[in-house]
Amino acid sequence: VEGRDRPQGEGGQPGPRQGPRAGGPGPQHAGGGHAGPGARGACPGGAAGLGGGPAGPGAGEGGGDVQYTCVIITVNVDGLGEYEASAAVRMDRILSAVLSADTDILLLQEVVPEMYKVVQRRFPSCAFRRGRLTEDYFNVTVLCSTRFHTGNRISSYAFPGSSNGRHLLTVRCGGWTVVNVHAESGGRQEERDERESQLKYMSRIHEPETGQICIIGGDFNVREGEDHCLRNEGWRDAWDEVPVDAESPLASWTWRRGEYSARYDRCYVRTCGNDSVSCVQMATILGIHATSTDHVALRVVLRRTTHADVSAEVDSMGDEVAQSAAVEAPLCGVLSKHPEGRREESLTSATQ
């Protein structure tokens, strides 16, 4: 994994956004249930038109559950595509259009080096990519929120059977495990077989993630029905969970080229402990399509609930977890166990 000088807490280099956002990045104490129904819809322009943001404290009395939100945006930037504007200009436009003040994590796919320089300029301390590449494009994960800057672990995994250098980029921090994926594309049999193998691998990546909320987001290139292995392992497509907003319906596609369209860009969630997670808001950001990329951006707001009967235990474990993260040795290229005996390259505070 490659990244620039990573901030060491609040005293390190500042991230793109300082201080709490409206509603706060920290816990919200709820009396049980959500404040109201979530919303999903299509946003014709930039992220500023989404409205609402994460829902506030839940309604009701009693309960005492603790809620956290995580705002994720994923977009394939089509770095190798041909457009009037240069790749760098397109990257700048995409970032300006999709980012909002409350964005926690940004997942990018098909980033080329020219685009990566733009991302590094705008996020000088918190953009990461895989160090060893076999293609001219790659995934990039940006930790936009300062609450994800400390105690995180970032790792990458290359699919061994991919003919296109497809890989995963994973960040683990504060009870969240967020995986950035660009799966095999194409409709030929060998391409479908490789994509199926990659999806099966992803369906089991939650197994070592005890106590985490796991998220896989990105460009899956899946056709309808191909995600059955994920669903069979308990993964939920966030697209299915948010009520339809009749006044601003969610676009039925996330990729379109000419007369062809598909819902390639997705976000799957799974719990690996006592906490629960739900998707409370989703939107497709359409303004970048055609002029900057052949995809739209997908904005997902997830709410994690630590239930009252276990919240006290979680609080008591906080100091212990923080101390464990602080003393972990800064290693580079460490091999860690992964499903099916495969291994991933991991990073703590050093860079490759």
Side-chain angles (χ1 to χ4, degrees):
V1 180
E2 180 180 283
R4 296 184 62 184
D5 298 334
R6 296 170 61 185
Q8 302 298 318
E10 296 299 327
Q13 296 194 15
R17 175 166 57 84
Q18 296 290 337
R21 62 171 181 262
Q28 299 173 342
H29 294 273
H34 303 313
R40 67 178 185 179
C43 179
L50 293 173
E61 299 180 358
D65 292 347
V66 182
Q67 297 181 340
Y68 303 81
T69 58
C70 183
V71 180
I72 296 176
I73 295 176
T74 178
V75 58
N76 182 317
V77 298
D78 192 23
L80 298 178
E82 296 183 0
Y83 300 83
E84 291 185 5
S86 68
V89 170
R90 289 193 291 120
M91 187 75 259
D92 229 0
R93 290 175 179 173
I94 290 171
L95 292 176
S96 296
V98 306
L99 290 176
S100 55
D102 62 353
T103 304
D104 289 310
I105 299 177
L106 175 64
L107 309 178
L108 304 172
Q109 303 86 42
E110 284 197 45
V111 179
V112 297
E114 186 180 357
M115 288 177 155
Y116 188 51
K117 291 180 181 179
V118 175
V119 177
Q120 287 181 305
R121 173 173 54 81
R122 294 186 61 162
F123 299 93
S125 303
C126 48
F128 300 92
R129 48 161 270 192
R130 180 174 172 81
R132 300 184 180 93
L133 301 170
T134 59
E135 300 291 333
D136 294 332
Y137 58 89
F138 42 87
N139 300 347
V140 172
T141 295
V142 183
L143 305 181
C144 303
S145 172
T146 55
R147 67 186 174 123
F148 286 97
H149 286 184
T150 57
N152 59 51
R153 293 180 295 133
I154 303 173
S155 61
S156 66
Y157 172 78
F159 293 114
S162 175
S163 59
N164 297 302
R166 302 300 165 87
H167 56 277
L168 304 176
L169 196 60
T170 304
V171 59
R172 301 172 180 87
C173 185
W176 301 87
T177 296
V178 182
V179 182
N180 184 354
V181 61
H182 186 200
E184 207 76 9
S185 56
R188 293 180 297 181
Q189 186 61 52
E190 59 269 25
E191 295 164 338
R192 294 199 304 269
D193 290 345
E194 173 57 24
R195 185 164 57 249
E196 180 183 10
S197 174
Q198 294 171 8
L199 291 169
K200 286 182 177 178
Y201 177 86
M202 286 184 274
S203 73
R204 297 182 56 194
I205 62 176
H206 65 281
E207 292 178 355
E209 306 293 335
T210 304
Q212 298 284 95
I213 296 296
C214 295
I215 303 160
I216 310 176
D219 182 359
F220 287 79
N221 278 306
V222 291
R223 282 62 174 168
E224 292 305 319
E226 288 186 348
D227 64 345
H228 64 276
C229 60
L230 285 164
R231 295 177 183 271
N232 288 344
E233 289 290 340
W235 292 89
R236 293 143 39 210
D237 187 349
W239 187 281
D240 299 334
E241 296 193 358
V242 183
V244 176
D245 183 350
E247 296 182 358
S248 181
L250 192 67
S252 61
W253 54 273
T254 63
W255 168 87
R256 174 176 285 175
R257 184 178 295 171
E259 61 181 1
Y260 300 100
S261 64
R263 188 169 71 89
Y264 289 153
D265 306 271
R266 304 187 178 202
C267 180
Y268 291 86
V269 298
R270 194 188 192 286
T271 61
C272 297
N274 294 321
D275 291 5
S276 60
V277 63
S278 59
C279 178
V280 295
Q281 189 183 81
M282 179 179 289
T284 48
I285 304 173
L286 306 178
I288 59 176
H289 180 259
T291 59
S292 297
T293 176
D294 52 359
H295 291 250
V296 301
L298 191 65
R299 181 181 188 271
V300 183
V301 180
L302 301 173
R303 176 183 292 156
R304 173 181 188 154
T305 301
T306 298
H307 299 287
D309 56 344
V310 297
S311 60
E313 178 181 350
V314 172
D315 289 341
S316 67
M317 292 173 58
D319 292 340
E320 179 181 347
V321 172
Q323 292 172 6
S324 175
V327 301
E328 185 174 3
L331 302 176
C332 189
V334 175
L335 297 179
S336 59
K337 292 184 179 180
H338 224 56
E340 301 180 9
R342 300 176 183 176
R343 297 177 182 272
E344 64 175 7
E345 299 171 8
S346 64
L347 178 80
T348 52
S349 61
T351 59
Q352 285 184 316

